[in-house]
Each structure stands twice: as C-alpha cells, then as structure tokens.
Amino acid sequence: MSPAQLSIIDEVESALRMGSPEKGLETARRVTELFLSSAGSFDDEQIALFDDVLDRLIGTIELRAIADIGARVALAEISAQLAPIAQAPPSVIRRLASNDEIRIAGPVLQESARLDDSELVQIASSKGEPHLLAIAGRWWLKEIVTDALLARRYPSVSRRLAANPGARVSGKGFAAIVGQAESDPELAVSVGIRVDLPSELRRRLLRSATDAVRTRLLSRAPPHLFEEIQSAIAAATVGVEREMSAVRDFEGAKRAIAGLKATGQLNEATLLGFATQRRYEETTAALAALSGSTVEVIRPLMQSLREDGLLVPCKAAQLSWETTAAVLESRFASGAMKPADLARAQGHYARMTAENAKRTLRFWQVRAS
C-alpha cells in the first residue's frame, strides 16, 4: 500500500480516537474516494483493511445520523458510490444494506453484487416495503429471494417483481402474484406477458381478467407469447379449456446461429435481418452470440417492456443505432415503439460505452448462472 494510502489509514485511527463527528465524516469520505480510485487493483488483504476501517467509521457516523441529516446524506452518498463496485468492502455493504433509512440502504440493496442470497432473504424478511422494493429491482434474483419478497404480500413489490425479467419466480410465487393480479390490472398485465408464467396460471389469470386487461395483454404481448395469449382469451371467452401453444423452443435457433457463426456468416447485417422480420428466437440467439453472452441472459431482456436492459448487449456488440432500434421493436408482435420512447432510448444508447456495457453483461452472466 502506498504512503498516501497509509497516511489515510493513520488519519482514520486518529479520527476514531478523537471521537469528533465532523472529523469522522470527512475521513469516511476521503477513505471512500481513495478506495474508489483504485478499487480494481486492490488485493483481498487491502480490501479487508479498507473494510475494517471504513466499517468502523460508518459505525460512528450511524450514531450521529439518527439526529443529523447531513450524516444521513453522507452515508447515502457512500452507499451510491460503493453499490456498483464488485470489489466493494463486504462488511460495509452489509452494514449499509441493513440501515433503516432507505436512502442509505437502497443503492446497495438494488445493485451491490456483494450481497448474497441469504443476506437478501434476511432483509426481505425483516425490513419494510421500501427495502423490499429496492431488492425487487435487482437485475437478477433467485427463487429463494423472490419467495421471501412475495411472502410479505406487498402489492407494489409484486408489481416490481412481475415487471423484472431477471427475477426468477417459483410456482408458488407465481400463484401468489396471480391471486393478487385478479384485483390489480397493472399486475395482471405485467405477469401475464412473462414467458416463465406456467400455462395453467396464465389460463387462470385470463379467465378472471376484464376485457380491458385482455386487450392490454394482447397489445403488449411479445411475439413468442401472442398466439398463446390469444388462444387462452378465446378459450376463456367461450368457456372452453384448450391446450395452449407451447413456449417456443430456442434450441433450433441456437443451432442455426452457431452454424452461421462457424461459417463466418454471423454479423450485424444478419441480426438486422432477423430483427426486421421479427424472428424472435433468431434475433435473441444472434444478439447473444454477437455480444458474447447467452440466450439465457438475453431472453429476459427481450421479454422486458423496458428498453434499458436490452441496450446493454446491443452496445456490447457495438451495433449501430439502426440495428439496435430494430432489435428493440422486434420484441413486439406488430407495430412500432413510440417516437418519444425511441428517442429516449437512443439518448441512453449514445451515452453508454462499450466497455461499461461488456462489464455489466459479464456481471449479469455470472448472476444468471
């Protein structure tokens, strides 16, 4: 560790001995900035040292934060700074995540890779609705976590989970969501277009849905679910149960894309052709291959009604905006995105860097495995 870094550590010890709240607050900011400046180059021993001193500093600040809004703001800033850092000090992250103030806990609950499933379950089982909402917004969630979130029965949490394509939901979890959706049109639409919703539960949902909800479901259904939902609505309308169309199989598309890649025929133009023709499976598999990801990661991004997640693999593959826009619109059976939505997405895409997109995609890949 450099002399400058050792000097900061000495300053921490001094601040703790002096017991000055102002000194502790300023030192915590400086230690955080020092860590962020070289986080990717620290080894485990150095990270552990930062973890120890920063955890002790934050412990003193938390006592002051009860009555001092400035201290709470400082902790919220530290939380936001450390949340996206994969090598963030783990004890500090856990301390911040368990804070009762959502402005402090929220950033790390929603984004930090340092929190494991057991820690998320514990928080989901003990904290209030704002903390659960933050967890429900994480890009990747396993069933053990979503079960814990849904057990609390907050409608807002169920809506966020249903709209989160990276949240894996168990059969029991989906049954709970569908039960709530019978009196919640927004939730009914969000869960009704999920590709992983069991067909039996989709039929149950559509039987109890109003005509307005059924119409919205059809208008927002991605291509791979349109026929299934349409058939289910027809069966519900006449009171007859019919076997629904099976969820489309991606294995054929994977083999076809692998063949194109092996012969040097897989490129952006190929992807643009698939997207323009709204060939959902081929578009998904081609984007996965060109971005260095997998269908398992790209598929929920294609399913989502949000466009920000899908922009990540497109930027990682360094696609032109024309191709990216075609990929975004290929999610829907027909029609086009609103000009305002496309313009907003284009602005986000222009600001995104390929390096950050690749890093994010690698993180998603690990979380999805």
Side-chain angles (χ1 to χ4, degrees):
M1 187 168 292
S2 72
Q5 293 165 358
L6 289 171
S7 175
I8 292 291
I9 301 305
D10 290 339
E11 185 177 329
V12 171
E13 299 295 345
S14 174
L16 290 170
R17 286 195 303 270
M18 291 173 60
S20 166
E22 290 76 15
K23 183 67 174 176
L25 200 58
E26 178 58 29
T27 304
R29 286 195 174 103
R30 292 190 62 195
V31 173
T32 302
E33 290 171 1
L34 175 61
F35 179 81
L36 293 172
S37 69
S38 304
S41 62
F42 292 136
D43 59 26
D44 290 344
E45 184 178 354
Q46 291 170 319
I47 292 174
L49 179 56
F50 273 102
D51 199 15
D52 177 59
V53 296
L54 195 53
D55 188 53
R56 292 160 64 193
L57 280 169
I58 289 177
T60 64
I61 298 171
E62 282 180 330
L63 296 175
R64 178 184 176 187
I66 296 174
D68 186 343
I69 189 171
R72 294 198 294 274
V73 169
L75 289 177
E77 290 173 351
I78 291 173
S79 178
Q81 289 173 314
L82 293 177
I85 306 301
Q87 304 85 4
S91 297
V92 171
I93 292 296
R94 287 192 291 269
R95 179 183 284 275
L96 293 169
S98 62
N99 195 287
D100 288 335
E101 173 64 59
I102 189 58
R103 288 180 297 177
I104 297 170
V108 294
L109 286 178
Q110 184 161 333
E111 191 172 3
S112 179
R114 282 296 201 183
L115 296 171
D116 62 28
D117 293 334
S118 63
E119 290 161 345
L120 292 172
V121 168
Q122 181 179 6
I123 292 172
S125 303
S126 60
K127 295 294 184 179
E129 183 177 4
H131 288 66
L132 273 65
L133 278 170
I135 296 174
R138 293 173 72 93
W139 271 110
W140 302 107
L141 288 170
K142 293 184 179 179
E143 293 178 356
I144 187 174
V145 180
T146 57
D147 279 347
L149 291 169
L150 291 168
R152 302 293 300 280
R153 307 292 294 180
Y154 287 113
S156 61
V157 174
S158 297
R159 284 193 290 270
R160 180 161 291 185
L161 283 177
N164 182 353
R168 297 178 181 176
V169 182
S170 67
K172 176 183 176 182
F174 270 128
I177 293 176
V178 168
Q180 289 177 306
E182 292 177 356
S183 58
D184 188 334
E186 179 185 344
L187 181 57
V189 174
S190 294
V191 73
I193 61 173
R194 285 191 63 118
V195 69
D196 51 348
L197 178 67
S199 294
E200 179 183 351
L201 289 175
R202 202 186 314 277
R203 289 194 291 269
R204 171 184 159 186
L205 176 71
L206 289 167
R207 280 198 300 270
S208 62
T210 64
D211 288 341
V213 168
R214 293 174 180 175
T215 299
R216 287 180 63 196
L217 274 168
L218 279 177
S219 68
R220 298 174 68 178
H224 59 296
L225 284 181
F226 185 84
E227 292 182 3
E228 179 179 342
I229 292 175
Q230 190 175 49
S231 297
I233 290 175
T237 300
V238 299
V240 177
E241 288 289 345
R242 295 193 302 174
E243 193 65 29
M244 298 210 185
S245 303
V247 175
R248 292 188 180 184
D249 184 5
F250 281 83
E251 294 307 313
K254 289 181 182 179
R255 290 192 295 270
I257 296 304
L260 290 174
K261 185 176 181 179
T263 57
Q265 299 179 69
L266 179 62
N267 51 38
E268 181 174 343
T270 308
L271 173 59
L272 177 60
F274 289 144
T276 302
Q277 297 169 41
R278 300 184 191 255
R279 294 170 62 177
Y280 181 84
E281 296 93 333
E282 289 87 352
T283 300
T284 302
L287 179 57
L290 289 173
S291 64
S293 185
T294 63
V295 167
E296 287 68 33
V297 169
I298 303 301
R299 185 175 181 179
L301 301 178
M302 288 283 288
Q303 179 195 355
S304 177
L305 295 176
R306 293 170 49 181
E307 71 278 351
D308 50 351
L310 193 54
L311 295 177
V312 172
C314 290
K315 179 62 76 169
Q318 300 187 55
L319 302 180
S320 67
W321 173 247
E322 177 189 6
T323 302
T324 300
V327 169
L328 291 176
E329 294 198 326
S330 72
R331 297 173 297 163
F332 306 101
S334 61
M337 290 177 63
K338 296 179 180 178
D341 293 338
L342 270 178
R344 183 182 64 252
Q346 186 173 11
H348 290 166
Y349 194 68
R351 291 189 294 273
M352 189 182 298
T353 67
E355 181 181 354
N356 285 339
K358 291 176 182 177
R359 185 182 302 112
T360 300
L361 201 57
R362 285 195 298 270
F363 169 66
W364 289 349
Q365 186 71 49
V366 171
R367 297 298 291 177
S369 61

